[in-house]
Amino acid sequence: MRNKAFLFENKAAFIQYIYIYVMMSSAGMALPSFIGNDRFIILVLMMGIFYVFFKPSVSRLQKSYLTFIGVFFISMLLVVVSSTLSIGTTLSITSILLIVYASFKIDSKHYIQRLVKIIYYIALVSIIIFSITRTFGFGISFILYPFLYPSFSDGDIYSYGGFIYRFVPLHSERNCGPFGEPGQYQCVLSVALYFVLFRSYLFPDKKRFKYLIVFFVALLTTLSTSGYIAIAIIIICFLLSLRKYIDKRTKYLFCGILVSSIFFISYTDVGQDFMNMAVYDKVYDNGKVDFASKTGGARTESISGVLKTIADSPITLWGVGYDELNNMGLEGCAGLLYLLLAIGILPYSILFGFCFGKVVEYNIGLGDVLVRILLVINMGFGQPHIMNFALFTMMLYPYFIVNSKKTCQRQQIGS
C-alpha cells in the first residue's frame, strides 16, 4: 500500500511539474514560439480541459469556478460576433484561467510549493548566467547561440534560448530569466516573493529564507522599474500585515535583506549603475523629470491613448478586438487598459470583478488584500501581458484552497 501511495505521489508530482512549466511558458517563455502560438493555445486549452473535466473533481469549488469561466467565455463570444475580437484570443484568455485551476487540482496540497520551487531554480540559474555575462561581457554568450533556439520579432532574431534562460541582446545588461523581457520576469518573481512572505506557513524555514534571498536578488537584477515598484508594494504591504501571521525569523531576514539591498544600491558602483538604468534613465531627461520620454513615454502614451479613445468614442467600451486596436495605432504597454478595449467592459468586469472579489473575500488581512490588487495594477500599467498566470494564481489560490478543504471535510463527514 505504501509503495502504491509513493508511486501515485510521484506520478502526480511529475504531471503537476509539467503543467506548471507549460503554464509558466504562457507568460513569455520560448515554448509557445517553438511549437507555434496557435498550437500552444490548443495545447494549454486541452491540458486544462482534461484535468478539469475528466479527472475526479472537488465539486463545490469546480462548480463555482467553471460557472465563472462559462459566464466569462459567453460574454466574450458576444463581443466576438460584433467586433474584430478573434475566437483565438477568446480561447487563449480562457485557457489561462483553465490551466491555473487544472495545475492546482492535480495536487492542491503541493501546488504552490512546486510552483515556487520551479521559479526558484530558474531564478538561481538566471542569477548565475547573468553574473557571468556581466562579469565577462554579454559577448561571451555568442558561442552558445548555434545550440540555442532563436526567437524572432518582425523577421529579425530577438533572442536565443528561453526554455530555462533567454539571451536577449536588446536587454543585454538586464536579467530576463527565460522570458522575453525583464517586465515579464519581474511579475513571476514578485508573485513568488508574495507567496514566500505572505503564505510563509507553506514553506519550511530553511527553504523560505533561501527563496527570499534568491527572489530579491533576481528581482534587483531585472533592472525593471515595475519590478522595483513591486518590491516597494510588497515591503509596505508586508509591514501592514497582521503580526500574528508573520514569524519573527522571517521579519528579521526580511529586514536584513532590505537593509543589504539599500546598502548595495547606495554604496556600490554596480548598485548605482542598476538604479540609473532601472529608474533614473527612465524618468529623467536632460536632468528633468519627464515621464513622457524613453520607456516611460510608451506607458504614458498607452494610458493616455486608451483614455482618449474612450472619451472620443465610448462605444469602444463594448470591445473592438486587438486587430482594431492595432489599426487605430494604440500602444499596448498598459495591458490592463488595453485589455478593456480589446474584450469589452462586460467580460472585463466579470473577469476582474470575480478575481478581485475573491481577493477581498479570502485573505489574511488588509496587507494581503492590498498587495495582491496593487501588484496586478502595477503589472497592468507597466506591461502589455496582463493575462499572466502568476497574477491569477496569486489572486485565486486562497479561494481555491479554502473551498477545496471545505469540500474534503464534507466528504469525510459523509463517509
Side-chain angles (χ1 to χ4, degrees):
M1 290 297 291
R2 287 182 179 179
N3 288 337
K4 286 184 179 180
F6 177 75
L7 289 173
F8 175 78
E9 288 178 2
N10 278 355
K11 180 182 177 182
F14 177 74
I15 294 172
Q16 191 166 49
Y17 278 125
I18 291 176
Y19 265 69
I20 290 171
Y21 180 81
V22 172
M23 179 179 68
M24 286 181 64
S25 296
S26 68
M29 291 168 63
L31 187 60
S33 57
F34 180 72
I35 67 176
N37 287 322
D38 291 341
R39 292 191 187 94
F40 182 78
I41 292 171
I42 294 172
L43 172 67
V44 173
L45 194 63
M46 292 299 101
M47 288 175 69
I49 288 173
F50 177 76
Y51 252 91
V52 168
F53 292 104
F54 296 104
K55 290 294 180 178
S57 66
V58 181
S59 57
R60 176 178 174 177
L61 171 60
Q62 182 152 306
K63 182 178 180 181
S64 168
Y65 190 64
L66 290 188
T67 299
F68 151 64
I69 291 181
V71 172
F72 175 62
F73 182 74
I74 292 171
S75 69
M76 282 197 294
L77 289 181
L78 296 177
V79 181
V80 168
V81 298
S82 59
S83 75
T84 64
L85 181 66
S86 68
I87 191 67
T89 299
T90 302
L91 292 175
S92 176
I93 293 173
T94 305
S95 70
I96 300 299
L97 299 174
L98 276 174
I99 199 168
V100 165
Y101 171 63
S103 300
F104 165 84
K105 180 182 173 183
I106 294 168
D107 185 353
S108 59
K109 185 178 179 181
H110 300 101
Y111 171 56
I112 293 301
Q113 291 91 329
R114 288 171 182 157
L115 171 61
V116 170
K117 183 185 288 187
I118 289 180
I119 298 172
Y120 165 76
Y121 282 114
I122 286 176
L124 199 59
V125 169
S126 76
I127 291 170
I128 293 170
I129 296 178
F130 175 76
S131 298
I132 292 172
T133 57
R134 285 289 291 176
T135 302
F136 299 101
F138 191 75
I140 196 173
S141 64
F142 294 174
I143 59 175
L144 298 174
Y145 291 175
F147 308 99
L148 300 176
Y149 174 74
S151 63
F152 298 84
S153 176
D154 298 326
D156 298 322
I157 292 179
Y158 178 78
S159 68
Y160 293 88
F163 296 102
I164 298 177
Y165 186 84
R166 176 173 285 187
F167 295 95
V168 186
L170 179 63
H171 301 296
S172 59
E173 296 183 328
R174 307 169 72 185
N175 184 358
C176 296
F179 298 94
E181 57 183 47
Q184 295 170 330
Y185 191 26
Q186 70 80 20
C187 179
V188 174
L189 290 170
S190 297
V191 169
L193 187 58
Y194 158 79
F195 278 113
V196 175
L197 281 173
F198 286 83
R199 306 282 164 173
S200 59
Y201 54 84
L202 294 172
F203 309 96
D205 285 350
K206 290 184 179 179
K207 284 188 177 181
R208 186 165 69 250
F209 300 154
K210 184 170 59 175
Y211 290 165
L212 281 174
I213 293 170
V214 170
F215 294 149
F216 263 114
V217 172
L219 264 170
L220 287 173
T221 58
T222 63
L223 302 185
S224 168
T225 306
S226 296
Y228 290 178
I229 293 173
I231 291 176
I233 290 171
I234 292 170
I235 290 172
I236 294 170
C237 293
F238 181 80
L239 296 176
L240 287 175
S241 296
L242 297 177
R243 292 184 179 182
K244 65 180 180 179
Y245 293 110
I246 305 169
D247 62 90
K248 289 183 179 180
R249 291 185 66 186
T250 301
K251 282 186 177 180
Y252 293 150
L253 179 67
F254 178 75
C255 292
I257 293 174
L258 179 59
V259 171
S260 299
S261 300
I262 293 173
F263 178 83
F264 171 77
I265 291 170
S266 303
Y267 295 102
T268 67
D269 292 338
V270 176
Q272 290 177 10
D273 288 343
F274 279 6
M275 285 303 294
N276 286 338
M277 188 180 300
V279 180
Y280 186 87
D281 290 344
K282 294 184 179 182
V283 299
Y284 279 86
D285 189 28
N286 294 323
K288 297 180 180 180
V289 176
D290 186 359
F291 290 100
S293 66
K294 302 179 182 179
T295 57
R299 295 181 176 91
T300 304
E301 186 177 339
S302 177
I303 295 170
S304 62
V306 171
L307 294 178
K308 187 176 185 303
T309 299
I310 294 173
D312 294 342
S313 180
I315 192 65
T316 55
L317 280 172
W318 173 250
V320 297
Y322 283 109
D323 290 340
E324 183 60 25
L325 291 177
N326 289 331
N327 294 335
M328 294 165 65
L330 284 179
E331 293 288 341
C333 290
L336 198 60
L337 293 177
Y338 205 67
L339 181 69
L340 170 61
L341 293 188
I343 68 174
I345 193 168
L346 179 59
Y348 189 88
S349 299
I350 293 170
L351 175 62
F352 289 105
F354 179 87
C355 293
F356 284 158
K358 296 308 178 186
V359 170
V360 173
E361 186 176 357
Y362 300 94
N363 62 79
I364 56 172
L366 177 61
D368 184 35
V369 174
L370 288 176
V371 70
R372 287 191 276 164
I373 292 176
L374 290 176
L375 285 179
V376 173
I377 294 173
N378 176 51
M379 179 69 177
F381 282 100
Q383 295 294 322
H385 306 291
I386 188 62
M387 291 303 303
N388 189 298
F389 82 94
L391 297 177
F392 288 92
T393 298
M394 178 182 65
M395 288 189 284
L396 295 172
Y397 172 75
Y399 153 67
F400 284 168
I401 199 69
V402 169
N403 283 277
S404 65
K405 285 180 178 178
K406 286 180 180 179
T407 304
C408 291
Q409 289 170 354
R410 285 203 309 274
Q411 290 174 345
Q412 290 172 359
I413 293 172
S415 62

